[in-house]
Amino acid sequence: MKHKVLRYFKSLKQIFNTLTDKSILKGKQLSKNIFVSLQLIFMKEIAMAWFKRESKGITTSTEDKKEAPDGVWNKCPNCKRPLHYSEQVENQYVCHYCGFHLRIGSKEYFSILFDNNEFTELFANLRSGDPLEFEDTKKYKDRLKDTIAKTGLNDAIRAAHGLVDGQPLMVACMDFSFIGGSMGSVVGEKIARSIDYSIEHKVPFLMISKSGGARMMEAAFSLMQMAKTSAKLALLAKAHVPYISLLTDPTTGGVTASYAMLGDINIAEPGALIGFAGPRVIKETIKKDLPKGFQTAEFLQEHGFLDFIVDRREMKEKLASFLKMMVN
Ligand SMILES: [Zn+2]
C-alpha cells in the first residue's frame, strides 16, 4: 500500500513538472483552484487504489488466513442454533436450547467427572501394532500414524483414576474421534489393565463407551477383546468391586455385545444410539419391519436393557450417589 501511495505522489510531481516545462503555467501563478482540484483528483485516485485489487481472485494463501479457532461457535446438530464454546463448557456440552447431548471425548468427560479436573492417567503410551499388515484405502500403519497426529490421542480410549465427589474411581473412556472409537487390541488391553487396577486397589470401575464397534483393521484380534474384557469383568465381580457402564452416543457393535452391557448398573445418556447391528441388517435377517426408534436409549430402557438414563448435567451427582450406595 505504501509503495502505491508513493507512486501516486511521484506522478503528481511529474505532472506539475510537465505543466511547467510546457510553459502552460509558466509565468502564471498556479491558481489556488487548480491546485485544490489536482489535489482532490489524486486523493480520489489514492483512495480508489486502496479498494482496488491488483490481481484477481483470492490471493491469501490458506495458512495465512486467520479463522476463528475450531469449535468457538458450534451449531447444535438437533435444533441448529448456534452455541458458543464457553456456553457448551458451562452446560457440560449439552445444548441449552433443546437438551441435545453433543458428542464429546475423554478430555471433556474427565473434566466433567473428576473433582477439579484432577486425575492420573494410566497406560497412556500403549499404541496399536499392525500384526496383519492390513491395508484398505490406506495402510493401517499410516492410518494410525495420521490419526495419532490429528487427534493427539494414542488410541480410542484413555484410562485414568481420580476422585469423583471425594470418592476414588477408575475410569476408562472411549474417544470416537480415533477411527470411530473402534475397539482394537489397545482398547481391550487398557480396559483389562484398568480392571486389574480396580481389583488391586478396590476402586470402583466406570466404563464410558462410545464406539462404532470392532476395529476392522485388526480383524480377529479385535473380536478377541470382547472375550478378554468380559472375562476381566467377571474377575472384577468376583472381587466384589462395583462396575458402572455408561453408554453414550453411539455405542454399537462388539462394544455393546461385551463390556458396555455388563455393568452392575448400565446407564445411558438421553437420545444415545445403542445397538449391535445396523437397522438394515436386522431387518433383512428377521424379515420384519422394525419399531420406530428401537435403537435409542429410551427404547432400550423401556425394554429392560438399561437401568437409568441420566442427563449429563446431573451425571456426576448421580454417579457419586450410586458409588456411595454400592461401596457401602
Ligand atoms: Zn439444540
Side-chain angles (χ1 to χ4, degrees):
M1 185 48 59
K2 205 173 134 196
H3 71 271
K4 244 181 199 174
V5 178
L6 283 175
R7 209 161 61 212
Y8 279 105
F9 276 116
K10 230 179 190 172
S11 46
L12 178 66
K13 202 179 155 203
Q14 270 169 5
I15 292 178
F16 274 129
N17 289 344
T18 321
L19 290 174
T20 332
D21 282 352
K22 291 194 173 165
S23 314
I24 300 167
L25 295 170
K26 218 172 223 170
K28 290 180 191 167
Q29 208 184 7
L30 197 61
S31 86
K32 202 182 161 191
N33 281 347
I34 293 171
F35 189 73
V36 170
S37 309
L38 276 170
Q39 260 189 333
L40 280 174
I41 290 165
F42 278 92
M43 276 167 75
K44 190 186 153 213
E45 283 291 312
I46 290 165
M48 290 297 287
W50 285 348
F51 296 107
K52 211 156 69 188
R53 275 186 190 279
E54 285 202 315
S55 50
K56 279 186 180 169
I58 297 162
T59 53
T60 319
S61 65
T62 313
E63 59 263 36
D64 290 341
K65 280 181 195 163
K66 288 193 178 69
E67 282 176 15
D70 268 349
V72 167
W73 284 98
N74 223 339
K75 212 154 85 176
C76 168
N78 187 47
C79 70
K80 316 279 183 222
R81 281 190 240 195
L83 302 169
H84 193 265
Y85 182 70
S86 61
E87 293 172 338
Q88 291 173 40
V89 176
E90 219 173 277
N91 214 29
Q92 260 105 73
Y93 309 90
V94 175
C95 171
H96 57 262
Y97 298 109
C98 70
F100 182 84
H101 284 50
L102 299 162
R103 275 188 191 173
I104 53 173
S106 55
K107 183 176 162 248
E108 289 79 16
Y109 277 110
F110 288 168
S111 76
I112 290 169
L113 296 178
F114 287 123
D115 296 350
N116 310 315
N117 198 15
E118 283 168 12
F119 56 88
T120 309
E121 188 171 353
L122 301 176
F123 336 117
N125 296 325
L126 283 183
R127 283 189 183 180
S128 248
D130 181 17
L132 305 173
E133 296 182 6
F134 192 89
E135 193 174 341
D136 44 55
T137 51
K138 214 180 198 179
K139 279 188 179 154
Y140 180 43
K141 221 175 259 164
D142 295 339
R143 192 181 293 280
L144 282 171
K145 214 196 287 168
D146 294 349
T147 314
I148 288 167
K150 202 175 83 191
T151 59
L153 299 163
N154 278 336
D155 211 288
I157 193 167
R158 279 170 75 214
H161 66 85
L163 296 176
V164 175
D165 204 14
Q167 304 173 88
L169 184 67
M170 178 72 217
V171 184
C173 180
M174 301 190 75
D175 279 288
F176 198 78
S177 60
F178 198 99
I179 320 185
S182 49
M183 172 186 58
S185 40
V186 169
V187 168
E189 181 62 19
K190 277 199 182 180
I191 293 173
R193 290 193 193 184
S194 300
I195 295 168
D196 285 342
Y197 179 94
S198 279
I199 294 171
E200 195 187 327
H201 297 88
K202 296 273 175 207
V203 169
F205 178 49
L206 167 71
M207 179 70 225
I208 304 175
S209 298
K210 184 181 287 287
S211 173
R215 188 170 297 172
M216 295 304 157
M217 303 83 168
E218 290 188 24
F221 288 98
S222 165
L223 296 179
M224 283 177 204
Q225 308 312 314
M226 294 169 68
K228 177 171 163 176
T229 52
S230 302
K232 279 285 181 188
L233 284 171
L235 293 178
L236 188 72
K238 223 175 181 179
H240 302 291
V241 178
Y243 169 42
I244 300 173
S245 175
L246 168 60
L247 295 85
T248 70
D249 183 60
T251 299
T252 60
V255 171
T256 310
S258 59
Y259 53 82
M261 282 294 184
L262 291 174
D264 298 320
I265 299 179
N266 293 328
I267 310 170
E269 286 185 341
L273 170 84
I274 300 163
F276 178 63
R280 191 176 51 84
V281 175
I282 300 173
K283 200 178 161 180
E284 278 168 14
T285 311
I286 64 169
K287 312 274 183 220
K288 266 185 189 168
D289 280 334
L290 300 162
K292 213 179 158 199
F294 80 108
Q295 284 182 323
T296 59
E298 289 72 13
F299 187 93
L300 290 180
Q301 189 194 21
E302 222 170 90
H303 291 79
F305 279 91
L306 293 171
D307 298 301
F308 303 100
I309 294 175
V310 180
D311 191 297
R312 197 183 285 153
R313 290 164 286 190
E314 293 156 16
M315 191 63 77
K316 183 171 174 167
E317 197 189 316
K318 285 268 163 70
L319 279 174
S321 69
F322 290 148
L323 287 171
K324 235 170 245 158
M325 267 187 326
M326 293 165 95
V327 172
N328 301 318

